[in-house]
Amino acid sequence: MTTTRLIILLLVLNLLVVSSGVVVNYLMLRPLAQAAAWAESERAEPPVVQREYEFYPVEKVIVSLREGGRERYFVLDLALLVEAGERSEQLKKAEPLVRSSVVSYLSTYRFEELRALPVSELQHRLEQALFADFAERKAQAPFLQVLVSKLIVQ
């Protein structure tokens, strides 16, 4: 056998060994790569579903509080957050209950306490009181959230 043939044979044998090593590594590492990709997709946040909302206004809820022999007033405008397409009939029927609940809840506070509350805290407390009143009457609240859109203190 000549030297040229021997070199070509060694070259072909070397190529076979290297290519088989690459194939074996690929086959062994592919499940790990798939597992890593799956784990990454699990960590990704679920897609955000866009919802449509509407606001139902409840205007001029007036609360009168006596403090120091003087009459004080709170005037609130509320907005009830509802999903789009909710029937406004249900909200119109619920409006007197909302007004009554807000007035009776806020009447339990002293003027200075109520005035010192941040709007976000007032909003949160009103929401809890309204949901509790609806639950007490065994009725489902036709809104998702209560927002204070205007607050006037006199």
Side-chain angles (χ1 to χ4, degrees):
M1 204 177 242
T2 65
T3 308
T4 310
R5 281 188 172 179
L6 187 60
I7 292 175
I8 291 176
L9 183 62
L10 286 174
L11 182 64
V12 169
L13 185 60
N14 192 16
L15 284 174
L16 283 174
V17 168
V18 169
S19 62
S20 64
V22 168
V23 168
V24 167
N25 278 332
Y26 172 75
L27 292 175
M28 292 181 77
L29 293 177
R30 190 172 65 174
L32 292 176
Q34 288 173 344
W38 181 76
E40 184 65 31
S41 69
E42 285 292 314
R43 276 185 277 169
E45 293 184 24
V48 176
V49 177
Q50 294 289 8
R51 289 185 174 172
E52 294 289 323
Y53 295 107
E54 293 177 359
F55 297 93
Y56 182 81
V58 179
E59 296 177 347
K60 293 187 177 100
V61 179
I62 301 171
V63 180
S64 172
L65 300 171
R66 282 189 106 27
E67 174 122 349
R70 186 173 175 199
E71 199 75 24
R72 300 287 189 142
Y73 294 97
F74 274 85
V75 180
L76 292 161
D77 283 357
L78 303 175
L80 304 177
L81 179 73
V82 295
E83 286 192 29
E86 281 288 321
R87 290 182 287 167
S88 61
E89 294 172 17
Q90 290 176 329
L91 293 166
K92 283 181 185 176
K93 289 178 183 177
E95 186 176 341
L97 179 58
V98 169
R99 286 179 176 278
S100 173
S101 293
V102 169
V103 170
S104 58
Y105 176 73
L106 293 180
S107 295
T108 62
Y109 283 95
R110 290 188 0 251
F111 174 76
E112 287 303 320
E113 285 179 314
L114 203 51
R115 188 171 186 192
L117 277 178
V119 174
S120 60
E121 181 64 25
L122 176 64
Q123 195 168 277
H124 178 71
R125 289 182 185 188
L126 282 175
E127 190 173 292
Q128 286 180 330
L130 286 171
F131 284 134
D133 277 355
F134 273 90
E136 186 178 301
R137 289 173 171 76
K138 294 183 174 76
Q140 183 178 0
F143 52 88
L144 302 171
Q145 193 173 8
V146 177
L147 305 170
V148 175
S149 58
K150 189 189 298 182
L151 174 63
I152 300 172
V153 180
Q154 291 183 345

